[in-house]
Amino acid sequence: MKKIISWAIIIYVLYCIGMAWYLFSFADSSIPAEWKGTTADPATFLTPREQVLSEQYSQWKNFLFFVSVPYDWLAYLAVLWLGVAKALQTWSEKATKSFVVQAAFYVFWLSIIMSVLTLPFDFISYRISRAYGVSTQSVFSWMRDETTDFLVNTVMLFLLVVVLYGLIRRFEKRWWLYAWMVSVPFTIFFMFIQPVVIDPLYNNFYPLKDKVLEAKILALAEKADIPSDHVFEVNMSEKTNALNAYVTGIGSHARIVLWDTTLQRLQEKEVLFIMAHEMGHYVMKHVYWGVASYIVLTFAGLFVAGRVMNWLIRRWGEYFHLHKISALASLPLFLLVISVLNFSVSPVVNMVSRYEEHAADEYAIKLTKDADAAISSFQKLTKEGLNQVNPPIIVKIFRYTHPSILERIVFLERIKRGD
């Protein structure tokens, strides 16, 4: 056991060193020569200091992402290897005979342990964002959001455990299929209530305050056949200087949300382009396609997870203090396997997302016919969020759900040229 833990730590440290070398010394984020001096070149819209800050900030955030993912895996393994998962199960079984109460006890304490283990990375990420001026959030506000995350995630995990392990205990071989069948209506229901139940726990949402701009946005929405009551503003300026907008929800709760920072720092034409982009997602029903894709991936994920967990328990059960998948002590193993699977498919998921984002850009430029406003909006998104214009390939593959700023501006430049 000591050898396994020692080797796991050594491999992780070497991996961190390798990622640091790649991101801070080797990776090339320069602009191709043919686009030097154009609107896609950060030297044309960022000051020299902003270029340095953008590069440094992106490097640190990317590094934290790539080292925190396997760190989470090690944390789950440690909980298993050190017998913590088994101890939590024993305590919960001694405390009550009710499976539901046992699950509540187990999930709460496992969530506490994992939150404590991962808190350093979360806090470092927050401090970096504050240090570079991207985050404006106070420590108290950040802690409040972290607490809200903990409560929401714990409740969701509790519901998952009660249903999942109830099915595992009743259907030993086909539990993954029944679990997937239950997940379908739950996923749809969650997407339906998220904008009106979950999101307001973090921020205040309200109709657009600028009525003149609202009238123009609603006129644009009318062209796209989008209901006027589906456009909202959110007070993100209390937490960040970054700019953003997004589409969320399904059915009557579907809505387009604009950050107030976007409304405050972009000109009217730029806001209209951003709005048209989000309308493109709405019109092309990307949220619905996303839900459908998630349901398909859940089917495959549960199928694979069941088989991988059974194999791991047969092969390493003694080290994990596990003998069967139906034990509550197997929950960290389940979460570990799901996390690894999610990371494994993220390049494909991100690629599909980038395709949808590009399609939304195409829709927006056709609707607004204003490439200059689109270009300047992307430049300001980069400036305020300190984003890399041309991220390293590994970063793009694993982190970018949108095309890079370079790709987006180049696309618009080619439209202007008539290419």
Side-chain angles (χ1 to χ4, degrees):
M1 178 60 64
K2 291 181 179 179
K3 289 183 179 179
I4 293 175
I5 294 176
S6 298
W7 274 109
I9 294 174
I10 291 172
I11 292 172
Y12 176 69
V13 170
L14 292 176
Y15 164 80
C16 291
I17 294 172
M19 287 306 306
W21 172 77
Y22 172 76
L23 292 170
F24 291 96
S25 301
F26 179 77
D28 182 15
S29 59
S30 62
I31 302 299
E34 63 178 306
W35 296 106
K36 291 282 187 179
T38 68
T39 57
D41 186 351
T44 64
F45 59 89
L46 296 178
T47 65
R49 174 173 170 75
E50 287 172 337
Q51 292 180 62
V52 172
L53 291 177
S54 172
E55 191 68 17
Q56 291 177 349
Y57 177 69
S58 297
Q59 287 172 337
W60 278 113
K61 295 292 281 189
N62 291 331
F63 178 71
L64 281 176
F65 168 80
F66 281 108
V67 300
S68 65
V69 171
Y71 175 84
D72 289 348
W73 300 345
L74 280 179
Y76 284 126
L77 287 173
V79 168
L80 290 165
W81 283 337
L82 299 177
V84 176
K86 180 64 176 178
L88 287 178
Q89 177 183 313
T90 301
W91 294 342
S92 65
E93 290 174 346
K94 288 182 178 179
T96 177
K97 293 183 178 180
S98 169
F99 172 69
V100 174
V101 180
Q102 288 176 9
F105 179 94
Y106 192 95
V107 167
F108 176 77
W109 286 108
L110 178 63
S111 297
I112 288 285
I113 292 169
M114 293 304 300
S115 295
V116 170
L117 291 175
T118 58
L119 184 62
F121 278 102
D122 295 335
F123 186 70
I124 291 171
S125 179
Y126 159 72
R127 291 303 302 170
I128 289 175
S129 294
R130 282 282 295 183
Y132 281 88
V134 175
S135 172
T136 60
Q137 194 171 19
S138 66
V139 174
F140 175 78
S141 175
W142 177 80
M143 291 178 63
R144 183 179 58 196
D145 280 353
E146 288 292 303
T147 302
T148 302
D149 272 341
F150 171 81
L151 294 174
V152 171
N153 292 335
T154 300
V155 171
M156 298 291 290
L157 183 58
F158 165 70
L159 295 175
L160 169 69
V161 168
V162 170
V163 175
L164 181 65
Y165 280 82
L167 292 171
I168 291 175
R169 293 181 177 194
R170 186 170 181 180
F171 307 102
E172 184 177 354
K173 294 184 178 180
R174 298 286 184 179
W175 63 265
W176 61 270
L177 178 59
Y178 295 108
W180 173 76
M181 293 171 65
V182 172
S183 75
V184 174
F186 176 80
T187 299
I188 296 172
F189 177 72
F190 181 81
M191 288 299 298
F192 181 75
I193 67 168
Q194 180 179 341
V196 295
V197 177
I198 305 299
D199 293 347
L201 296 175
Y202 299 88
N203 298 99
N204 296 323
F205 296 80
Y206 40 81
L208 295 178
K209 293 180 178 179
D210 188 334
K211 297 305 176 184
V212 175
L213 177 60
E214 181 184 41
K216 295 182 179 181
I217 289 177
L218 295 182
L220 201 63
E222 186 177 356
K223 290 183 181 180
D225 195 28
I226 296 176
S228 60
D229 59 347
H230 285 204
V231 181
F232 286 81
E233 180 179 347
V234 59
N235 62 330
M236 287 300 296
S237 57
E238 298 178 356
K239 299 179 179 180
T240 183
N241 284 316
L243 314 179
N244 198 15
Y246 61 91
V247 176
T248 186
I250 58 176
S252 60
H253 289 169
R255 57 175 57 172
I256 296 173
V257 179
L258 287 163
W259 288 12
D260 60 346
T261 51
T262 302
L263 296 167
Q264 293 165 5
R265 297 174 190 175
L266 295 188
Q267 296 179 0
E268 185 177 278
K269 290 183 177 180
E270 296 165 343
V271 172
L272 290 176
F273 171 79
I274 296 295
M275 194 66 191
H277 171 94
E278 300 307 327
M279 289 178 183
H281 287 305
Y282 186 99
V283 170
M284 290 181 277
K285 303 187 184 305
H286 286 161
V287 172
Y288 291 91
W289 283 109
V291 171
S293 300
Y294 179 81
I295 290 173
V296 172
L297 287 174
T298 301
F299 177 86
L302 288 171
F303 173 79
V304 174
R307 277 147 181 76
V308 171
M309 287 180 67
N310 282 324
W311 179 81
L312 288 173
I313 291 174
R314 287 196 303 269
R315 181 66 178 84
W316 302 97
E318 180 182 353
Y319 297 99
F320 295 152
H321 306 279
L322 282 174
H323 301 290
K324 54 184 179 180
I325 195 173
S326 61
L328 276 176
S330 71
L331 179 59
L333 182 62
F334 174 79
L335 296 176
L336 167 63
V337 172
I338 291 297
S339 178
V340 172
L341 291 176
N342 282 338
F343 185 76
S344 300
V345 301
S346 63
V348 176
V349 173
N350 291 343
M351 181 178 64
V352 172
S353 178
R354 290 194 296 270
Y355 171 81
E356 291 181 340
E357 295 296 336
H358 178 69
D361 283 347
E362 289 183 320
Y363 179 90
I365 203 64
K366 289 177 182 177
L367 193 63
T368 62
K369 297 179 173 59
D370 194 343
D372 289 329
I375 290 172
S376 60
S377 68
F378 288 140
Q379 291 174 336
K380 291 179 181 179
L381 285 170
T382 302
K383 186 183 184 74
E384 299 297 338
L386 293 182
N387 301 310
Q388 281 181 310
V389 173
N390 188 30
I393 184 63
I394 292 180
V395 173
K396 179 180 176 182
I397 289 173
F398 283 97
R399 295 209 66 193
Y400 272 54
T401 57
H402 291 60
S404 67
I405 293 297
L406 173 65
E407 292 169 325
R408 301 179 90 168
I409 294 180
V410 165
F411 163 69
L412 294 166
E413 281 290 350
R414 284 173 173 161
I415 287 179
K416 288 178 61 178
R417 297 178 184 181
D419 294 351

